[in-house]
C-alpha cells in the first residue's frame, strides 16, 4: 500500500469506529492502555491494517516502527519491500498510532487533516 492508501484506510476506520481501542483498565498514571485489537473487536490505527484473524499478542506493547510490527505489515502487503527504504511509511504509521493513543476522539478529524497535510496527502470528505 502507498501512503495515501494507508492513510485512507486508517482514517476511514478511526472515524467510523469513533472510539479508542483500549483495555478496560488503565496504566498506574490513569492513562488508557491502547491495544491493536480488543476482544470486543475494536482496533487502533495500526490494528486495522493487520491481517484478519491475526493474533496481536506478539505485537501488543510494541510501537508501529518496531521490527515485529514492521515484519507483520511487510508480510501482509501493507508495507512493500521493493528494495527501497520505507522510513516515511513507518513515520506515517507512527504518527497515526500516536493520534489514536494520545488524542481524544473529538480531536481526530483535525489531527488527521494535519497528518495529511504533513505528508502531502489528500483527505476524502
Amino acid at each position: 500500500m502507498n501512503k495515501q492508501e494507508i492513510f485512507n484506510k486508517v482514517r476511514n476506520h478511526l472515524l467510523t469506529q469513533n472510539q479508542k481501542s483500549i483495555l478496560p483498565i488503565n496504566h498506574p498514571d490513569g492513562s488508557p492502555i491502547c491495544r491493536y485489537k480488543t476482544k470486543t473487536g475494536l482496533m487502533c490505527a495500526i490494528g486495522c491494517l493487520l491481517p484478519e484473524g491475526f493474533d496481536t499478542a506478539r505485537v501488543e506493547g510494541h510501537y508501529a516502527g518496531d521490527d515485529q510490527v514492521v515484519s507483520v505489515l511487510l508480510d501482509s502487503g501493507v508495507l512493500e519491500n521493493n528494495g527501497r527504504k520505507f522510513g516515511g511509511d513507518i513515520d506515517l504509521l507512527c504518527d497515526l498510532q500516536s493520534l489514536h493513543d494520545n488524542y481524544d476522539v473529538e480531536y481526530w478529524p483535525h489531527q488527521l487533516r494535519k497528518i495529511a497535510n504533513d505528508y502531502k496527502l489528500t483527505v476524502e470528505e
Side-chain angles (χ1 to χ4, degrees):
M1 298 174 76
N2 64 38
K3 284 185 191 73
Q4 185 68 60
E5 292 168 328
I6 291 169
F7 178 81
N8 291 348
K9 182 167 183 168
V10 171
R11 179 183 178 275
N12 292 340
H13 165 72
L14 290 177
L15 295 180
T16 299
Q17 181 173 277
N18 204 34
Q19 61 180 309
K20 288 188 176 194
S21 176
I22 57 175
L23 289 178
I25 58 172
N26 291 330
H27 290 285
D29 68 0
S31 63
I33 298 174
C34 296
R35 306 302 279 177
Y36 284 107
K37 295 183 181 183
T38 68
K39 291 180 181 178
T40 61
L42 297 175
M43 295 180 278
C44 78
I46 306 308
C48 74
L49 298 171
L50 297 173
E52 183 75 30
F54 175 76
D55 180 6
T56 61
R58 78 176 216 224
V59 295
E60 292 292 1
H62 297 273
Y63 76 103
D66 184 88
D67 287 344
Q68 290 178 344
V69 178
V70 169
S71 176
V72 173
L73 295 173
L74 277 167
D75 290 346
S76 66
V78 172
L79 294 174
E80 297 175 8
N81 188 0
N82 56 8
R84 64 176 174 81
K85 296 194 180 226
F86 39 77
D89 295 351
I90 301 291
D91 292 343
L92 173 62
L93 293 172
C94 290
D95 285 347
L96 291 166
Q97 183 176 44
S98 178
L99 161 84
H100 171 274
D101 294 359
N102 299 316
Y103 288 90
D104 291 334
V105 173
E106 68 228 39
Y107 298 107
W108 286 358
H110 171 76
Q111 290 302 121
L112 285 162
R113 284 190 296 278
K114 183 179 179 311
I115 290 171
N117 187 57
D118 290 348
Y119 288 89
K120 298 176 181 28
L121 304 171
T122 59
V123 176
E124 299 171 353
E125 294 296 336

